[in-house]
Amino acid sequence: MTFAATVLTLYPEMFPGPLGVSLAGRALGEGRWSCEAVQIRDFATDRHRSVDDTPAGGGAGMVLRADVLAAALDSVADAEDLRRPAIALTPRGTPLTQARVRALAAGPGVILLCGRFEGFDERLFAARAIEQVSLGDIVLSGGEPAALALLDACVRLLPGVMGAPSSGVDESFETGLLEYPHYTRPVEWEGRSIPEVLRSGDHARIAAWRKQQAATDTRLRRPDLWERHGGARGPSPSGARRETDG
Ligand code: SAH
């Protein structure tokens, strides 16, 4: 099954953009996913082809019109058996998680709405079934980089896209924790060694060390994740010390 992405945007030339190269680009070439960009402006009805207007109540910037966006969205009519979720990228949305990405990647695809200016006329969300998703607590100038990030995260999970089928399972967030740190040759670099345990060949010890590091790093760097994971009830990070020399 092909994962079908349709992106509603004022800048269709941004797609597939960076997703046209590397793993995602190869997968696109192989037909594992498709990427269609729809120009929102094509659905403007006035002679100036306007897609935005000034904010009701005053204030800076411009707001994307609900009527134009709804027309663009309605033009992407999915067949009954291929109902893709429509997702608007907005800092007001639910923060994107790996769990949501996994669920999306397992489905038929996505319809993405990219905002610009001050964002969308809120009535759009009352009138159509549209999920609102945020890339994080940052403000971008447009939804396009967020759409590209969401698609990248989905595409790498599609069957046959990543080299080793197992390389996704240990990853950060997949277990509810950050991933353990990685090292590679040279063994000695600027006076620093790869932790001894990783060179021991003792797979049980290595697995235990990695689990411990993942717990410690999550607790220190992402107390929010650690808390959700079960905090003190999770795997104990006590006594874990990052081995950098040895
Ligand atoms: N006035 C808005 C920000 C608009 S930024 C506010 O303060 O909430 C313009 C567009 O960029 C948004 O409509 C959205 O599509 C996109 N955007 C900005 N930050 C984003 C984020 N963190 N996640 C997803 N999309 C974002």
Side-chain angles (χ1 to χ4, degrees):
M1 188 182 68
T2 297
F3 180 87
T6 298
V7 186
L8 311 186
T9 170
L10 287 168
Y11 300 96
E13 65 274 23
M14 287 192 185
F15 297 86
L19 301 183
V21 299
S22 192
L23 284 185
R26 201 184 58 206
L28 190 60
E30 290 169 352
R32 294 184 196 277
W33 70 292
S34 66
C35 187
E36 179 202 15
V38 173
Q39 172 57 269
I40 293 169
R41 200 172 294 280
D42 291 346
F43 297 88
T45 49
D46 64 347
R47 64 192 176 89
H48 301 293
R49 298 183 79 212
S50 50
V51 295
D52 57 340
D53 209 330
T54 54
M62 299 294 273
V63 177
L64 284 167
R65 288 169 54 147
D67 57 345
V68 177
L69 277 164
L73 182 61
D74 294 347
S75 79
V76 187
D78 277 351
E80 276 298 333
D81 58 340
L82 182 108
R83 281 249 179 265
R84 291 174 294 167
I87 297 177
L89 286 316
T90 163
R92 284 165 48 83
T94 306
L96 187 60
T97 61
Q98 188 63 15
R100 185 71 191 112
V101 165
R102 224 169 236 293
L104 290 173
V110 283
I111 301 168
L112 301 176
L113 280 78
C114 300
R116 280 274 154 180
F117 323 120
E118 292 305 318
F120 308 93
D121 181 321
E122 190 67 17
R123 291 172 295 178
L124 180 66
F125 304 118
R128 298 289 184 278
I130 302 172
E131 190 180 330
Q132 297 176 65
V133 166
S134 167
L135 198 60
D137 294 343
I138 54 169
V139 180
L140 303 166
S141 56
E144 290 79 7
L148 289 167
L150 185 152
L151 290 176
D152 180 294
C154 289
V155 167
R156 64 187 286 283
L157 295 179
L158 301 177
V161 173
M162 274 197 299
S166 65
S167 66
V169 301
D170 250 8
E171 222 102 48
S172 292
F173 315 117
E174 295 289 3
T175 58
L177 297 176
L178 300 178
E179 199 187 34
Y180 49 80
H182 295 286
Y183 298 86
T184 189
R185 281 180 283 273
V187 170
E188 286 275 333
W189 175 71
E190 293 195 350
R192 292 165 205 278
S193 306
I194 293 176
E196 180 278 325
V197 56
L198 298 180
R199 290 177 280 137
S200 68
D202 182 338
H203 296 296
R205 255 184 83 211
I206 292 171
W209 181 87
R210 285 179 167 168
K211 200 171 163 184
Q212 194 67 258
Q213 293 295 321
T216 306
D217 288 350
T218 305
R219 183 173 56 90
L220 296 177
R221 296 173 181 210
R222 291 292 304 275
D224 58 320
L225 272 187
W226 181 246
E227 192 57 43
R228 239 178 297 155
H229 182 71
R233 285 170 287 112
S236 165
S238 61
R241 183 176 50 86
R242 175 68 59 76
E243 293 182 50
T244 47
D245 37 41

